[in-house]
Every structure is written in structure tokens, then in C-alpha cells.
Amino acid sequence: MSIETVKEFFHSKEMEVPILKFKDISTVVKAAESLGVTPGEIAKSLLLQVHDDFVMVLMAGDKRLDNRKFKDIFKGKPKMPAVEQVLAMTGHPVGGVCPFGLRQEIPVYLDQSLKEYAVVYPAAGAPDAAVKLTVAELAELVATDWVNVAQE
């Protein structure tokens, strides 16, 4: 189960991070409402394919990907993989994709838009699960690097 791999990830890091469960956090707006936070505090995870490689980008939930910025940084056009491919690569279903407990090693980049917040809520392996982390904790745990790929 995907949530279990997220729990195992945090256990391996010797961190006690509760998995927050809700009735429906399948969209950024619904997640923010459920958590009582702004949509920007939801750290959405985007698995993207560039040529034959995959990268994951986490950005503030109220931002959209700027394809031009992405292409300039990653030297290729971002493509959204098929739902089945997302599950195969990450071990997490669409709506619950997160950078924790990944099935395959994927570079994880944090967008500068997350720096606007002290605390963010990334998904935790299921559409109805999230975790609460400081941006510093998130960066320390999973970040390959910081990027600027959000639309202004």
C-alpha cells in the first residue's frame, strides 16, 4: 500500500510524521479546505517526463508549471506520463503522488514558490492523505535542487 511506503520512508529517516487523513483532498482546493490552509500551502507533486527521463517537481498548489522555464532548465519539453506509468514509477496513485517512498529513484526538485511558506502539505501516497512539513524539512528530506519553473 502506498501510504505504508510513505510511513516506512519517514521511519527510515527516524522521523515521527503523522499521516493526515481526510475525506477528500483530491484537488488542491479541496485539500486546502480540508486542512484549513491556503491552496498555496499544498505542495503539489508533478511527475514529468523529459525525453526518456523522469523528474518530480513540487510547487505551491496555487501555481502552474511554466513550460518555457521548465524547458530552459531541463533541456526538454515536459510531458505528463500516463496514469499507469505514474503508479509504476512512483508506487503512488495520481492524486497521492509524493516524493516519499518512491518505487524508483527519481530526482526531486522544489520550486521557488514553496519558499513563500514556512509549512507545506504534500500528499502522502493516497488522494486522501497528506503530511505536514516545514519547507526546510521537505528540502532536507527529498530535494535534489531548487528550481524556478512556476508561472509568475
Side-chain angles (χ1 to χ4, degrees):
M1 182 170 192
S2 191
I3 292 175
E4 291 305 315
T5 62
V6 172
K7 289 178 181 177
E8 290 169 13
F9 172 84
F10 287 113
H11 181 73
S12 74
K13 302 292 184 182
E14 299 180 354
M15 292 180 69
E16 290 292 325
V17 178
I19 305 293
L20 308 173
K21 296 280 286 179
F22 301 94
K23 288 184 180 172
D24 184 6
I25 59 170
S26 59
T27 67
V28 168
V29 172
K30 288 179 181 179
E33 288 172 0
S34 295
L35 294 164
V37 299
T38 66
E41 292 169 277
I42 304 300
K44 65 181 173 186
S45 302
L46 303 173
L47 179 68
L48 301 162
Q49 185 173 359
V50 185
H51 305 293
D52 294 330
D53 297 319
F54 290 86
V55 297
M56 185 176 290
V57 175
L58 274 72
M59 65 175 44
D62 60 352
K63 300 295 185 191
R64 295 179 55 96
L65 185 69
D66 184 312
N67 288 331
R68 169 52 52 200
K69 288 181 180 180
F70 184 94
K71 189 174 180 181
D72 289 347
I73 291 170
F74 292 100
K75 308 301 181 217
K77 183 179 176 181
K79 295 180 186 172
M80 297 292 284
V83 171
E84 303 81 27
Q85 202 168 19
V86 171
L87 184 59
M89 292 293 299
T90 66
H92 307 308
V94 171
V97 172
C98 63
F100 319 115
L102 295 171
R103 183 173 284 160
Q104 296 186 32
E105 198 165 317
I106 301 167
V108 176
Y109 296 88
L110 303 184
D111 184 73
Q112 297 288 337
S113 61
L114 293 173
K115 289 185 176 182
E116 294 179 34
Y117 306 98
V119 173
V120 291
Y121 297 82
D128 64 347
V131 292
K132 177 181 179 180
L133 295 170
T134 67
V135 172
E137 287 171 328
L138 183 62
E140 186 176 324
L141 285 168
V142 300
T144 298
D145 205 352
W146 286 91
V147 294
N148 180 3
V149 293
Q151 292 178 359
E152 297 301 322

